Every structure is written in structure tokens, then in C-alpha cells.
Amino acid sequence: MEEARRLPSWADRDKLERAAAFNESRGLYLNLLNGVGGGMLSTAIPREARAVYYSKGGADMEDRVAKTSLLGFAVGDLDAFRPGGDVVVQAVKTRLVHAAVRHLLPRSPGWSRTSGGQTIPISQQDMLVTWHSLPTYAMRKMLEWKVPMPSADAAAYLHLWQVTAHLLGIRDEYIPATWDAADAQSRQVLDPVLAPTREGVELTDILLRQLAEQTSPGGVDRPLVNALARYLVGDQVADWDGIPREPFWEKAIATAWPKLVAFREKLLPLPLVPPLAWTIEEAGRQYILFYLTKGQGTRIEIPETNRPA
């Protein structure tokens, strides 16, 4: 643990500070992409979906997501790598949880039956696949949305996640050195493994139901949540996840969201932003607020069992 909590020698404090500022200014996009988008991608990754489903956390997804969010919010916090930040603590706790799951899951008949011959879960490859479902995916979507991206900001955001990967136990030689390398590696390790599973479909339904329930004060219902998830990950992944099609809302979101992004980036005047855009933004805020609040009473703990039968 003493070794695991040390930053790598190549960590750059200036880049980490810039990344913190970038996270603060782009927080809505990043939390929506990493929380909802990354969540939908994770349930379409068979090994990850099954590891989550058959582990203890799979039986209580609200608590599981809240615990996962502790690390995500710690990474995105303004104080992340300052003395008052706790990203290092949450990363080490996560590594301990991974170690416990590697020990426990092979004892699960359900996991063993569906593991496809894998004998130890959460391998280096598995962690890299998950890593790409977060920063690589988020960067692709922000560029797709035409979010202005100075090269120094992009480099700082990558560096933040490079350091996080190191803290989570990914070996340095596997961590992409550039965004081009990250895109190439993602196409190699993430894209080919995306596929449907029964476990992934069930987890997706739970996650979207939670999102609809938690954001209801913003006037969001399940069809709109389904459409938002489809917009974030695309039809192929959405179909694998069993997310229903919502033609009306899908068209409305595809029209409204780019205009909201343009307005937030000062590229479009307020009168041209449709009302639906603010509903989506409020849904994102409520979702983030829920897990921030829940996180105050949630701790990352080492599991002692698998999913109850």
C-alpha cells in the first residue's frame, strides 16, 4: 500500500493542476459521459458486466454505482492531487477491491460458467478496456460535440488519466502516451470486445431505471433517459444493452444537445437553445448531485462474498 499510493516519477504537477481546472470547466460533459455514457459502455463489455453482476456489488447497483462514483468524482475534483484531495486514497481502495474480486469471483458458479475460460478477472487487459470506456470515449465525444479543446487542455486531461491508470495498477508500458495512441489502443482492445450479454442487459435496465427515478425532479421520465443513453453511446451499443428505441426523444435530443453545448461554449446565443436542452442539463445535474450526496455516506469497502445466490 505504501508503494501503491506513491505518484509515478513522471507525474507532472502543472499538468495535473491544468487538468483539475479543465474538469471544473467541463464538469457537466465529463460527468454525463463518464457516469451515464461510460456506464452504458461498461454493461456492453461482457467481462466487465459479468464481473460486476456476479460480484457482491451486482446485487445492489445503487450502492455499487455510488462507490464507483467516489473514485470518479475524486479524479475530477479540483483538489484531486493536492494535499486535500483523496484520489490516491480512493484508487488504493479500488485496487484492494479488485484484489478481493480476483480472489472471490472464481468461486462463483455463475461467473465461472460465463467467463469464457478466463480464470482470474480484472486482468491488465480488462482494466485497459475499462480505462478506454472513460477518458478515451469522453474525449472522442467532446470532439464530436465540437467542444473547444486547446492542445494543452487535451494533454493535461490525458495526463490526469495516465496517472490514475498507474494508481489503479495498470502497468506503465500499457498506458497510452498520446491521444492518437489511446485511440489506436481503444480500437484494438475495446471495440472488438463490445457485445450483448444477459447480465449486461439486466444491469443496463437497473442503471437507467435509477437515472430516471433520481432525476425525476427535473421532469425526466424513462423514455427520455433511454433516448439520452442511446445518444451517448450510439445505436449499436444501445441495442446490445437492450435499450428501447424512443424515436421522438432521440430526434429531440439530437437537435437540442449540440445547441446547448454551443451555448455553453459561447458559440450560440441563448434564444436559439430549445427548452429540452435545459431539461437534459438539469437531469445531468440531479444525477451528479444524487451520487455526490450518497457518496458522503458511502465508503469503498473490500467485499467478503460474491453476489448472493
Side-chain angles (χ1 to χ4, degrees), residues 4 15 47 63 71 77 90 112 116 128 134 142 176 192 237 242 263 273 281 295:
K15 284 186 177 180
R47 283 186 176 181
D63 183 64
L71 176 62
D77 190 78
Q90 302 301 345
S112 298
L128 270 175
L134 296 167
M142 286 189 291
V237 171
F263 169 74
V273 181
E281 179 167 11

Side-chain angles (χ1 to χ4, degrees), residues 36-37 40 208 224-234 238 243 253:
V36 183
M40 297 303 97
L208 292 181
L224 195 153
V225 167
N226 290 340
L228 177 60
R230 277 190 165 271
Y231 180 72
L232 291 174
V233 298
I243 302 173
I253 289 174

